[in-house]
Amino acid sequence: MTDTNNTTPKKEKVPRQPMPEQPAGERQKNFDEVPYGYTPETAMLEASRCIQCKKPRCVAGCPVGIDIPGFIKAIEVGDFPESIRILKDSNALPAVCGRVCPQEDQCEILCVLSVKQDPVAIGRLERFAADWEREHGEVKLPEVAPPTGKKVAVVGAGPAGLTVAGDLIVKGHEVTVFEALHKPGGVLVYGIPEFRLPNEIVEFEIKNLENLGVKVINNIVVGKTFTIPELMEEEGFDAVFLGVGAGLPMFMGIPGENLNGVYSANEYLTRSNLMGGYDFPRYDTPLKRGKKVAIIGGGNVAMDSARTAKRLGAESIVVYRRSKKEMPARIEEIHHAEEEGIDFHFLTAPVRILGNEDGAVIGMECLTMELGEPDDSGRRRPVPIKGSEYILDVDVVIVSVGTGSNPLLTKSTPGLELNKWDYIVADQKTGVTSIPGVYAGGDIVRGAATVILAMGDGRMASGAMHRYLMGEPEPADAPEES
């Protein structure tokens, strides 16, 4: 145990403060953000629950190592500017992380209070501090070191790339971020709906990086527009970070996946979130809304797709081959989906998608499953029940069963070592790849993971890149990967 020794003053028990949010009946008809956030008074009350452990386990659960007791103490005493200053020492995207990080499995699960009561709402307090700064226009940028004369290219403007950019610009390096899409943010803007993470929040955080001096260039497909050797040998970049994510959609390989009305979750959410498809014809991005939409999968992306389809007016059905207990989605996202009337078909697996003579989806044949012994993932393996086939009447199918490595950049970079799944091989302590001066992190190394893990990779790689650029040796006791 940590720190509840006799010298720690006892605090009056305050229950974990709920966050007010849009009623389910209203929010399922709009794309406005669901939670409203804490008021200053509620945030200070929630912050008062933190017992300020001398050896805070919560910090060890944060991939970027935020001084969690420090920023919470500042909120408790009402010093909100100090709170956001502490957060920004470790996290370039606090408003984002406060909304989408799985705190319940990282920092909050290690909170000492959780032994006997609910943990401190660390994520909600992080969001409060970042929102307070933005809403009060009191943004303070960190001090930037004198120019080093070194140029860094960051490929991919997602969480890992933006973290690297933010870390290296304050160390005095010239940083240029290349983004393939027309807006920076990566999965934050194309994959996460507005009702969970408004695009204006991401834009604000990126604007802060630009104000520090980071140059962001959109519509550049590295691997086509430039190759990595061209960036280094012809464009004069001294080091390159690859944070291109893992955006290649996976399908199940069942009959009917080429029918009109079948989407990958990536395409469906990109059309809606990034290209305004939910607001057609105001935005010229058609998106088939459907009357009855099946979403195949049980992760956060499946929940986002199901809740988007519901808001577009469809009856929304999640089809998942295991039980609710095995779902990989955050508990909060499942809860919100249930509140909004999403229908769940557990222990159900699709075997083929049915179409009409025009090639449009008219249904999906499913098979009922039961759970067998645990597989390599530790979850119980779904086993088909013979003769249990039935037809689910749907006109749109969204496949959300994972993503893989996009080969466009990796295959155009000679000498870049890949593993058997075509992800980049990078050192776990530095992000170093097989090419000198080229580093990598985030989903293109790990496979699809979380925003905060990608940021942790970016933080780790930026330190190693700085040492490389300045000709400094790697420390013998480089920290282990979080």
Side-chain angles (χ1 to χ4, degrees):
M1 298 295 294
T2 55
D3 356 280
T4 51
N5 55 38
N6 293 333
T7 62
T8 302
K10 286 189 176 180
K11 291 202 172 192
E12 182 181 349
K13 280 191 177 179
V14 173
R16 180 176 164 114
Q17 298 300 296
M19 186 180 288
E21 59 188 29
Q22 275 197 79
E26 292 180 15
R27 69 181 191 240
Q28 63 179 244
K29 300 172 186 172
N30 65 59
F31 280 77
D32 297 338
E33 189 171 18
V34 172
Y36 292 130
Y38 280 156
T39 63
E41 294 77 17
T42 309
M44 292 170 71
L45 183 60
E46 178 62 28
S48 72
R49 298 180 65 232
C50 178
I51 62 174
Q52 296 291 311
C53 300
K54 292 179 181 175
K55 296 180 181 178
R57 299 189 303 181
C58 54
V59 177
C62 175
V64 296
I66 292 173
D67 175 7
I68 293 172
F71 97 81
I72 290 180
K73 186 64 181 179
I75 291 177
E76 181 183 0
V77 300
D79 191 350
F80 305 141
E82 174 65 4
S83 175
I84 191 64
R85 187 198 65 76
I86 295 171
L87 276 166
K88 285 186 171 178
D89 276 349
S90 306
N91 187 352
L93 308 171
V96 171
C97 290
R99 285 170 165 81
V100 301
C101 274
Q103 296 99 2
E104 64 274 20
D105 294 324
Q106 293 179 326
C107 52
E108 292 183 9
I109 197 172
L110 297 174
C111 175
V112 71
L113 289 190
S114 63
V115 175
K116 294 185 177 179
Q117 53 180 304
D118 290 331
V120 175
I122 299 169
R124 293 174 180 176
L125 291 172
E126 182 179 19
R127 168 186 165 151
F128 165 78
D131 287 355
W132 185 90
E133 179 193 49
R134 187 181 65 260
E135 291 164 2
H136 285 75
E138 297 187 12
V139 179
K140 291 185 179 178
L141 300 176
E143 188 175 343
V144 176
T148 63
K150 301 294 183 181
K151 289 177 61 178
V152 177
V154 175
V155 184
L162 293 176
T163 299
V164 169
D167 284 356
L168 292 183
I169 196 74
V170 298
K171 287 181 168 63
H173 306 300
E174 182 181 332
V175 181
T176 302
V177 179
F178 296 103
E179 168 57 43
L181 299 174
H182 64 281
K183 287 179 70 173
V187 69
L188 303 175
V189 292
Y190 76 72
I192 303 179
E194 292 261 351
F195 54 80
R196 214 153 64 80
L197 177 61
N199 283 350
E200 66 173 310
I201 301 293
V202 182
E203 291 165 2
F204 180 83
E205 305 259 42
I206 293 172
K207 190 65 181 176
N208 284 341
L209 293 178
E210 291 181 313
N211 289 337
L212 282 169
V214 173
K215 186 185 297 181
V216 179
I217 303 179
N218 300 318
N219 300 310
I220 297 292
V221 183
V222 175
K224 287 291 185 184
T225 316
F226 298 109
T227 64
I228 300 300
E230 287 171 344
L231 281 177
M232 301 186 78
E233 297 165 10
E234 299 177 18
E235 300 297 324
F237 287 97
D238 299 289
V240 177
F241 177 79
L242 305 179
V244 295
L248 185 67
M250 292 182 178
F251 287 88
M252 299 171 290
I254 64 174
E257 285 184 303
N258 60 342
L259 290 168
N260 183 12
V262 178
Y263 292 94
S264 70
N266 260 27
E267 180 185 355
Y268 186 78
L269 291 174
T270 299
R271 281 175 176 266
S272 177
N273 301 337
L274 185 64
M275 303 171 72
Y278 69 87
D279 201 8
F280 182 81
R282 183 181 176 205
Y283 291 91
D284 190 15
T285 305
L287 186 65
K288 187 174 182 180
R289 299 186 173 220
K291 294 180 179 177
K292 204 168 181 179
V293 176
I295 300 90
I296 302 167
N300 288 323
V301 176
M303 298 303 103
D304 287 341
S305 300
R307 297 171 69 192
T308 296
K310 184 75 176 181
R311 283 161 171 76
L312 291 175
E315 181 182 346
S316 186
I317 305 165
V318 170
V319 174
Y320 182 56
R321 61 183 186 151
R322 291 184 168 95
S323 72
K324 180 179 176 179
K325 182 181 177 183
E326 287 82 27
M327 288 181 74
R330 291 182 67 192
I331 294 173
E332 181 177 310
E333 304 309 328
I334 299 170
H335 173 66
H336 278 149
E338 290 175 329
E339 281 188 332
E340 292 167 11
I342 307 301
D343 189 11
F344 286 84
H345 286 212
F346 295 114
L347 293 168
T348 302
V351 292
R352 64 180 175 126
I353 301 169
L354 310 175
N356 61 17
E357 61 276 9
D358 296 323
V361 173
I362 59 170
M364 186 166 72
E365 183 176 333
C366 299
L367 195 59
T368 303
M369 315 294 280
E370 59 184 354
L371 293 179
E373 295 299 316
D375 60 15
D376 293 341
S377 72
R379 295 175 298 172
R380 295 181 64 188
R381 185 189 303 274
V383 179
I385 298 176
K386 289 184 179 178
S388 62
E389 295 89 347
Y390 69 95
I391 303 297
L392 191 61
D393 178 24
V394 296
D395 54 358
V396 171
V397 174
I398 302 169
V399 181
S400 179
V401 295
T403 55
S405 165
N406 189 322
L408 200 149
L409 180 141
T410 55
K411 297 298 184 186
S412 66
T413 308
L416 186 63
E417 184 181 354
L418 307 177
N419 64 21
K420 64 180 180 181
W421 299 285
D422 286 336
Y423 293 114
I424 296 173
V425 174
D427 186 279
Q428 292 187 349
K429 294 180 181 177
T430 61
V432 168
T433 71
S434 55
I435 301 177
V438 177
Y439 297 72
D443 289 0
I444 192 59
V445 172
R446 293 176 173 272
T450 65
V451 169
I452 193 69
L453 285 174
M455 294 179 67
D457 287 353
R459 167 58 46 86
M460 173 190 66
S462 68
M465 293 175 76
H466 176 67
R467 292 188 288 274
Y468 169 80
L469 291 166
M470 304 307 290
E472 299 172 359
E474 281 296 318
D477 56 347
E480 296 290 338
E481 184 188 19
S482 297

